[in-house]
Amino acid sequence: MTRDFQQIVVCALLVIGVASPAAAQVDLSGMWAPIFHEDQVERIPGPDVGDYAGLPINDAMRMRADSWDASLLTLPEHQCKPHPSTYGFRGVGNLRITTQVDDKTQAIIKLHTHIQWQEQRRDIWMDGRPHPPDYAAHTWQGFSTGTWEGNVLVVKTTHLKAGWIRRNGLLITDQATMTERFIRHGNYLTHIYVIEDPNYLTEPLIKTNGFQLTPNPNMQPYPCYPTVEVPREKGEVPHHLPGENPFLGEFAKKHNLPQNGVRGGAETALPEFMSGSGTRDPGPANRNATARTSNTGSRTPDPGPRDNEVHSLHVQGNVWLLHSAGVNAAVQIGDEGVLVVDTMTTGLGEKVVAEIKKLAGDKPIRWIVNTQVDSDHTGGNAKVAEAGESIIAGNFAGQAGQASANFAKVLTHENVEARLVKVQPALPQQALPTDTFFTDEFEIHFNGEAVQFIHVPNGHSDGDVMVFFRKSDVLVAGDVFNTNTFPVIDMEEGGSINGIVKSLNQILDITVPEDKQEGGTYVIPGHGRLTDEADVVEYRDMMTIIRDRVQNAIDKGMTLEQVKAARLVRDYEGRYGAARGAATADGFVEAAYRSLKK
């Protein structure tokens, strides 16, 4: 937090009359009606397209907002989304605050907030519990913890889904965090929130909202079911290509404002900006953001613990996520034993086995499934297979050899096997597939549920496999989906950007959210955090938009170097550009260009 920002917050608190830190905690519970005298036009009818004035956004966010098309909201997968907690308190609908108290100590365990529009439900934990690990799932409301500073409730929120700060395409990424202050003055409640996003905001965004205590205790339910509003081709994502949004100038023209005054940036919030004396220097934060999204591809490290250990997280049903330094695997555990999806790197093989034993006890490892050939997904095959046991009998025992029962079976698509047997130096026999399939799907019934192995060709490669645990309702997606970086498109092994887009849409055919586009089917990506359908939609939209931009550039006759120079992915570079390798902005654009050109 910068010194200037601290001074702004202190001044704001003084203006609204915050009591001294020695004051007692106050009761925030009750039904509160929103007061709309502040920012009424933005909060009720909604902002105009192209109105970014007064917001500390950078060029990346500006480009993304320029491409936004309101028709996006007609897609079923974009319907029924509640306001995220980064915007919900600015929307319509009464706010109800209730408390959960420990009966023995009378200490508040949590505050629960419920906003009527789209039933925005949120828990603010007051019992000192830590925030979840970085690889845990994100939600619309995030994970919030609260503490009292005198009579001011201070709330810190992480684990947010990608959301919005203004309903005209101004979005924030899932790396944003929020700090709030709730202050009660008799029958009035002041809410101050501060959003920070390293990818799209050059400095903290500060907003305030007001509420008045109301005697009306009613809170209507808000059922919502997505439906097809506009027939479209499968996978179509409405958006505007760069420089082709015809509506961006309407707001400035309607209000007779200079165009640069409505395009956003921290300087547009300063009084001297309109006089012409305001600086357009982006400041350190924006300069850092510009550097982070440059074509060098430098960015913050991938999220997740860097202790070289394997961590586990129960997803749901029989399935656990295994995670280490951004790389994921999964295990299904039941009465019949253990099925392992991917085995991480060679150096982590023994630690994968140790974590499985911690979760499964003496249950044998029966199956290993490789979603692809890369060593960060198959490197631990030998160690994990050695820790397992197969059930082999009859003629098969003679064919496979007497020692084969001492190892787990290894299953994958035949295209993956063809490459694994050619790896040099040669892999030990127990690391190689014992079972393959060549069709679009293969399935078994294991641990009381159907398990489907789905071949998704020509995305990351020509041999990628997704694994769907039907009863547990968990899909392991492999490297066709990656929440850390742009996807790696291995063209030498049959990968393509069209295949990536098709694979992501195939994931969306499988996933079904539980409520308000959240929960339900969980998706474990090859790298990154646990996700659900809404997270896949965010990634699918990005891939589709970038694919269309690159295809449009090819249709215009632009060379690869011209496309790179145009920085057609700069609105996503800061969030998804890898520091090195094929998933840097340039590396990804080159693979997309060549696959489309081919």
Side-chain angles (χ1 to χ4, degrees), residues 425-481:
L427 299 174
Q429 188 63 37
Q430 62 268 31
L432 297 175
T434 60
D435 298 72
T436 63
F437 66 99
F438 64 90
T439 53
D440 291 339
E441 290 191 20
F442 180 76
E443 57 193 32
I444 63 173
H445 202 278
F446 190 66
N447 286 328
E449 67 178 321
V451 185
Q452 294 176 276
F453 308 101
I454 305 165
H455 178 220
V456 282
N458 308 119
H460 165 65
S461 71
D462 62 4
D464 288 83
V465 174
M466 299 192 299
V467 183
F468 183 40
F469 299 97
R470 279 174 45 179
K471 185 176 180 180
S472 296
D473 204 12
V474 177
L475 177 70
V476 185
D479 271 4
V480 297
F481 177 42

Side-chain angles (χ1 to χ4, degrees), residues 137-150:
H138 288 207
T139 63
W140 296 119
Q141 305 306 315
F143 187 89
S144 301
T145 55
T147 55
W148 289 98
E149 294 183 3

Side-chain angles (χ1 to χ4, degrees), residues 196-219:
E196 298 180 75
D197 185 347
N199 303 295
Y200 285 157
L201 298 177
T202 63
E203 59 187 65
L205 171 65
I206 308 170
K207 292 285 186 179
T208 61
N209 306 301
F211 296 86
Q212 183 174 6
L213 195 66
T214 174
N216 180 8
N218 294 328
M219 182 76 77

Side-chain angles (χ1 to χ4, degrees), residues 378-408:
T378 61
N381 274 14
K383 293 294 183 182
V384 179
E386 289 170 2
E389 300 174 16
S390 295
I391 301 175
I392 302 178
N395 294 337
F396 293 103
Q399 296 172 16
Q402 294 299 318
S404 59
N406 297 329
F407 306 103

Side-chain angles (χ1 to χ4, degrees), residues 7-21:
Q7 292 174 341
I8 291 172
V9 173
V10 170
C11 290
L13 295 179
L14 290 174
V15 168
I16 58 180
V18 178
S20 67

